[in-house]
Amino acid sequence: MESSPASKPPTTAAAAAGPAAEGAKTVAVLGAGVQGLTAALLLRLQGHAVTVVARGSPDDLTAHAPPDRAAAKAAAGSTPADPTFTSPKAGANWQSFADKDDVRQQRWDEATFYTLHRLGYHAPSGVMHLPAFQYFPEPPAGFEDPWFARIVPGYGPVPADQLPPGCRFGIGFDTVTLNVPKYLCWLAALCRQRGVAIVHRDLAHIADVLSVVKKADIVVNCSGYGAKTLGGVMDANIYPIRGQTVLVRAPQVKRTIGTALSSGSYRSTKPDREEANKVTYVIPREDGIVILGGTYQADNPSLEIDPQTAQGIMERCVAVCPELVVNGKLPEIVQHSVGLRPARKGGVRMEANYEKFNGREVLVVHNYGHGGFGFQSSWGCASNVVGIVRRALGQPADDKILTNFLNEIYSSKL
């Protein structure tokens, strides 16, 4: 379970930016991936003054950034995108891989599913509803329906005559996928519209955040893979899981597909080396781009494209999703990509403590180590961060955080 420090009375006033709520504080969020931006937004909606400090951000994604930001990025020219900035390289779809007894992860994933499902009716977000299928080479021994069967619409077994070659069992349900670059830029725009500042800075030590947000009362650490090398954190339990994908143009694909390994899940914690190179998934985006994957290679930090791996990905994906081929032609390849999923031995670090930064007492909330589950747990984790902060400030729980956010989205039409 997550931990939080004992409640303390407020000691400083919140920064002047934006409307202040009772007990409002100045907050710095480290990281502008999906976890950092989502936490920043919910904390801002709680009335806190929030600044995101990050090495890489959606501002690097000029295709979906606001025109003024994209122009500035293009003009700068010399600032490279952070190659370890993982969020833009995600698929991403919602399918929970939480164990049946992992109540914490289930809670995060469930809250996120309901939020993303609602956002699927809000076109600017880039979230899309569609059916999902997971195929197995053999019926798993002692198979039990996953915990999320109770929350997703349309859950059930796939009829035998609808299984792809080489698969003898499958499940289907309705879910969502995200156009990741568009979603991240939408999320960043939402933060800025509410008064969140996003500052690009490469920090050597977590305490260096005070050089950017000088009066920070709270620091939320969503640094992902950066938590491995960030001074003051240096988490040796962080490790990369390499994922290689091929992005193709295939607007005719209207379903998301994953195939299971012999372990029962294509996201097994420790698949053997051969299986780690044969992860297969098909994830369409609402703009007609489809992500084909992939690999799940633990402790492999290489960001180089492997042509042989890319060829294998294409072959496996076509086998389970024949509609990728039109009139005998393979889809146009738009991009090859490699990302490092920021996994953590022992699972996500969600906890808080008070620390002294340059003589200033700061509440530090850690939220990192999500591996390949960052998007599908993001709203639940951000709500958890807000809950930790509220308890630390002696405030009662707020079980309407996500409901209020969604109501505001649909009333503002952003």
Side-chain angles (χ1 to χ4, degrees), residues 100 139-145:
K100 278 186 172 285
F143 176 80
E144 296 181 6
D145 290 332

Side-chain angles (χ1 to χ4, degrees), residues 64 87-92 126-128 130 177-182 245 247-248 250-251 253-255 282-291 335 375:
H64 292 279
S87 283
K89 300 177 182 181
V127 180
M128 175 174 69
L130 78 179
T177 64
L178 294 82
N179 182 341
V180 167
K182 182 176 179 178
T245 58
L247 281 67
V248 300
V253 177
K254 301 297 184 184
R255 57 179 177 151
V282 177
I283 304 176
R285 292 175 176 171
E286 45 84 53
D287 62 357
I289 301 299
V290 180
I291 289 73
Q335 181 183 355
F375 280 85

Side-chain angles (χ1 to χ4, degrees), residues 225 240 242-244 297 299-306 338-340:
Y225 191 55
R242 181 181 180 274
Q244 180 169 330
Q297 301 162 329
D299 294 310
N300 183 344
S302 173
L303 291 168
E304 296 297 318
I305 301 295
D306 183 331
V338 174
L340 304 179

Side-chain angles (χ1 to χ4, degrees), residues 9-366:
T11 56
T12 63
E22 183 179 356
K25 296 293 182 181
T26 299
V27 181
V29 177
L30 303 187
V34 67
Q35 289 287 335
L37 291 174
T38 310
L41 178 60
L42 291 192
L43 286 164
R44 181 69 191 104
L45 295 178
Q46 292 279 303
H48 302 294
V50 182
T51 299
V52 174
V53 182
R55 180 169 52 191
S57 84
D59 290 346
D60 295 327
L61 311 175
T62 55
H64 292 279
D68 59 330
R69 303 267 169 196
K73 179 68 181 176
S78 60
T79 305
D82 176 9
T84 65
F85 184 30
T86 303
S87 283
K89 300 177 182 181
N93 64 345
W94 188 98
Q95 179 175 347
S96 176
F97 292 88
D99 293 335
K100 278 186 172 285
D101 59 353
D102 190 349
V103 177
R104 183 179 74 159
Q105 186 70 48
Q106 290 178 21
R107 185 172 67 246
W108 293 338
D109 291 355
E110 182 172 0
T112 304
F113 176 76
Y114 287 129
T115 305
L116 291 176
H117 196 270
R118 286 280 305 277
L119 289 176
Y121 298 103
H122 184 63
S125 70
V127 180
M128 175 174 69
H129 296 109
L130 78 179
F133 299 92
Q134 185 176 19
Y135 299 129
F136 297 74
E138 297 288 340
F143 176 80
E144 296 181 6
D145 290 332
W147 72 269
F148 62 83
R150 64 178 172 80
I151 69 169
V152 294
Y155 177 86
V158 177
D161 61 356
Q162 296 178 21
L163 293 171
C167 295
R168 297 183 57 199
F169 182 76
I171 58 173
F173 54 94
D174 295 333
T175 189
V176 295
T177 64
L178 294 82
N179 182 341
V180 167
K182 182 176 179 178
Y183 180 81
L184 289 172
C185 288
W186 171 79
L187 201 55
L190 203 58
C191 284
R192 285 190 168 107
Q193 186 190 68
R194 267 67 176 176
V196 175
I198 300 178
V199 177
H200 294 84
R201 193 70 56 85
D202 190 359
L203 303 180
H205 193 284
I206 190 171
D208 293 343
V209 71
L210 292 187
S211 68
V212 182
V213 188
K214 300 185 184 303
K215 295 186 178 180
D217 305 297
I218 300 168
V219 174
V220 181
N221 177 20
C222 299
S223 56
Y225 191 55
K228 185 177 184 68
T229 56
L230 180 64
V233 180
M234 301 287 284
D235 192 334
N237 289 318
I238 290 289
Y239 66 99
I241 301 178
R242 181 181 180 274
Q244 180 169 330
T245 58
V246 182
L247 281 67
V248 300
R249 196 178 310 281
Q252 71 277 12
V253 177
K254 301 297 184 184
R255 57 179 177 151
T256 180
I257 298 170
T259 64
L261 303 176
S262 61
S263 58
S265 168
Y266 73 81
R267 292 184 181 178
S268 169
T269 303
K270 293 182 178 180
D272 65 36
R273 183 172 181 176
E274 182 179 355
E275 288 191 324
N277 288 323
K278 293 183 178 179
V279 172
T280 304
Y281 52 87
V282 177
I283 304 176
R285 292 175 176 171
E286 45 84 53
D287 62 357
I289 301 299
V290 180
I291 289 73
L292 307 180
T295 61
Y296 203 74
Q297 301 162 329
D299 294 310
N300 183 344
S302 173
L303 291 168
E304 296 297 318
I305 301 295
D306 183 331
Q308 185 175 354
T309 296
Q311 181 179 347
I313 289 171
M314 183 70 80
E315 292 172 353
R316 295 195 308 274
C317 288
V318 166
V320 298
C321 186
E323 61 266 37
L324 282 166
V325 179
V326 178
N327 296 326
K329 294 183 178 180
L330 291 171
E332 173 195 354
I333 294 177
V334 176
Q335 181 183 355
H336 292 275
S337 179
V338 174
L340 304 179
R341 304 173 180 95
R344 183 174 183 269
K345 298 172 185 176
V348 174
R349 185 182 183 188
M350 177 72 75
E351 61 184 15
N353 54 276
Y354 284 97
E355 297 188 24
K356 288 277 190 179
F357 289 170
N358 301 330
R360 182 180 182 83
E361 189 170 58
V362 176
L363 173 65
V364 179
V365 184
H366 296 285

